[in-house]
Amino acid sequence: MLLAEDDRAIRHALERALTLEGYRVTAVADGVEALAHAHKSPPDVLVLDVMMPGIDGLQVCRVLRAEGDRTPILMLTALVETQDRIAGLDAGADDYVVKPFDVEEVFARLRALLRRTSPVGALSGVTKPQPQVPEVSEGRVEAAGLVMDVQARRVWRGGRELELTRTEFELLELLVRNAGIVLDHSTIYDRIWGYDFGPGSKNLAVYVGYLRRKLDEPGAPLLIHTVRGVGYVLRED
């Protein structure tokens, strides 16, 4: 794990807590060091503070994503406005924690990110998925005019290939594998983030918005539909 945090007290405290939790942690104080370490020895997961001198966490995230690096990224931010969180997600982050944070929440979100990139059962404490949602398997899946190559992590609609982030791809895959089935918010949160952020969270709505903008075509049927008060369903009108 690579931890980048310019606040010395927070960096040391979080490094100690993560080490006690069983992680091997490399801790750095700014974005320049973070990029250098990420290039030299790619970590399994990155924890990036947003506000750092020189190169901030958002810039680090953008650089890595532009290079094709899909390592899970958890952002730490003192910025609480929705647009600030959206900026982090737009930069390519997979999740975020707002300061001041509970270290147990950091642990939970890290476990969720690592579950998505580890073999099933490789991590302890993995929450079992809802029975109506099958486990992801390698191969090709199709629904509502979408074709997904799960192993290559590529997706097409009508012959047009879509460029999706890791979280966008996994959310779309979940919907495609359950085409026609309404998935409630808690089920989606559990499968994609491994953690239900509660009714006040806008994480899911933000990512559904991203997918709709990338999926929708002039004159083509809408694919992702909102079922008010319940969740979302993928179907072709």
Side-chain angles (χ1 to χ4, degrees):
M1 171 190 295
L2 178 59
L3 166 66
E5 166 62 66
D6 68 316
D7 185 303
R8 183 177 180 181
I10 294 176
R11 184 173 67 252
H12 287 177
L14 194 51
E15 180 183 11
R16 183 169 57 253
L18 289 166
T19 300
L20 290 173
E21 188 70 5
Y23 294 97
R24 291 193 298 271
V25 184
T26 297
V28 298
D30 58 52
V32 174
E33 287 186 277
L35 281 175
H37 279 277
H39 290 147
K40 182 179 179 181
S41 181
D44 294 326
V45 63
L46 288 90
V47 180
L48 298 176
D49 182 32
V50 171
M51 305 295 289
M52 292 188 291
I55 299 177
D56 65 22
L58 295 181
Q59 291 174 292
V60 171
C61 197
R62 291 190 189 101
V63 169
L64 293 175
R65 295 309 189 225
E67 294 172 346
D69 190 319
R70 293 293 174 249
T71 303
I73 296 177
L74 176 66
M75 305 293 289
L76 305 177
T77 178
L79 306 174
V80 298
E81 296 298 326
T82 299
Q83 59 265 30
D84 295 316
R85 303 182 190 184
I86 291 175
L89 298 174
D90 277 339
D94 294 284
D95 201 356
Y96 58 82
V97 175
V98 177
K99 298 178 181 178
F101 51 78
D102 186 322
V103 71
E104 292 297 330
E105 181 182 2
V106 174
F107 293 162
R109 299 197 185 211
L110 286 172
R111 287 194 298 268
L113 290 178
L114 290 170
R115 274 201 296 272
R116 291 157 50 192
T117 54
S118 301
V120 176
L123 298 174
S124 61
V126 177
T127 303
K128 293 184 178 179
Q130 297 291 334
Q132 75 270 27
V133 183
E135 286 296 328
V136 172
S137 61
E138 294 182 349
R140 177 187 176 101
V141 292
E142 301 181 35
L146 292 172
V147 178
M148 304 190 76
D149 184 333
V150 177
Q151 187 170 14
R153 302 188 74 81
R154 300 175 67 185
V155 57
W156 298 263
R157 183 181 187 186
R160 175 175 63 95
E161 185 168 2
L162 310 178
E163 294 294 330
L164 304 182
T165 66
R166 178 193 300 273
T167 302
E168 290 167 356
F169 185 93
E170 292 177 356
L171 175 56
L172 182 59
E173 183 187 357
L174 181 65
L175 293 169
V176 166
R177 288 184 178 276
N178 294 274
I181 300 173
V182 177
L183 299 179
D184 60 59
H185 296 97
S186 61
T187 295
I188 298 173
Y189 274 127
D190 179 67
R191 289 306 311 275
I192 302 303
W193 284 276
Y195 185 86
D196 190 342
F197 302 123
S201 174
K202 298 188 183 299
N203 260 24
L204 181 53
V206 167
Y207 273 101
V208 168
Y210 292 161
L211 280 177
R212 283 172 170 160
R213 288 197 291 273
K214 294 182 178 183
L215 287 172
D216 291 351
E217 299 175 330
L222 298 178
L223 296 184
I224 301 178
H225 301 266
T226 301
V227 180
R228 191 174 298 278
V230 181
Y232 298 95
V233 59
L234 183 133
R235 64 170 181 263
E236 193 170 25
D237 279 347

